[in-house]
Amino acid sequence: MMPPTVFAFALFALTFIGSQANAATVEHTFHIRNLTVSRMCKEKVILAVNDQYPGPAIEVAEGDSVVVHVINESPFDMTIHW
Ligand SMILES: *[C@@H]1O[C@H](CO)[C@@H](O)[C@H](O)[C@H]1NC(C)=O
């Protein structure tokens, strides 16, 4: 049986090593362009990401890095807010 202080350190070290090993870089490419949607029998052009509305989800874990390439194929200047 380990003394409590040694056990606490071992647990911390494993947690730290584990989170480093699981850290990932999550990369996405967002194409922003027109999407024609039908609502109540009317067609409307909206801007969407990768032809999806709502846009794609970005799933990450704590410690991951996120890289998003945004390609604006719309006729408008735009900013993306996170
Ligand atoms: C995209 O939609 C805008 C606004 O409706 C329109 O002015 C533009 O011509 C459209 N572009 C394309 C490539 O369809």
Side-chain angles (χ1 to χ4, degrees):
M1 190 83 177
M2 284 187 238
T5 51
V6 174
F7 178 73
F9 176 75
L11 192 64
F12 170 77
L14 283 175
T15 303
F16 181 72
I17 291 164
S19 67
Q20 288 298 299
N22 291 334
T25 299
V26 177
E27 194 165 353
H28 287 265
T29 300
F30 283 5
H31 293 269
I32 316 288
R33 56 186 166 229
N34 285 355
L35 176 69
T36 303
V37 293
S38 291
R39 290 269 158 79
M40 311 278 279
C41 304
K42 284 187 179 175
E43 290 202 331
K44 189 177 177 186
V45 177
I46 63 169
L47 290 177
V49 175
N50 297 347
D51 302 321
Q52 290 174 253
Y53 183 81
I58 297 176
E59 291 182 23
V60 294
E62 188 172 349
D64 288 353
S65 298
V66 180
V67 176
V68 180
H69 306 277
V70 178
I71 301 168
N72 183 9
E73 298 172 19
S74 83
F76 311 109
D77 294 336
M78 72 168 47
T79 59
I80 300 275
H81 298 265
W82 309 99

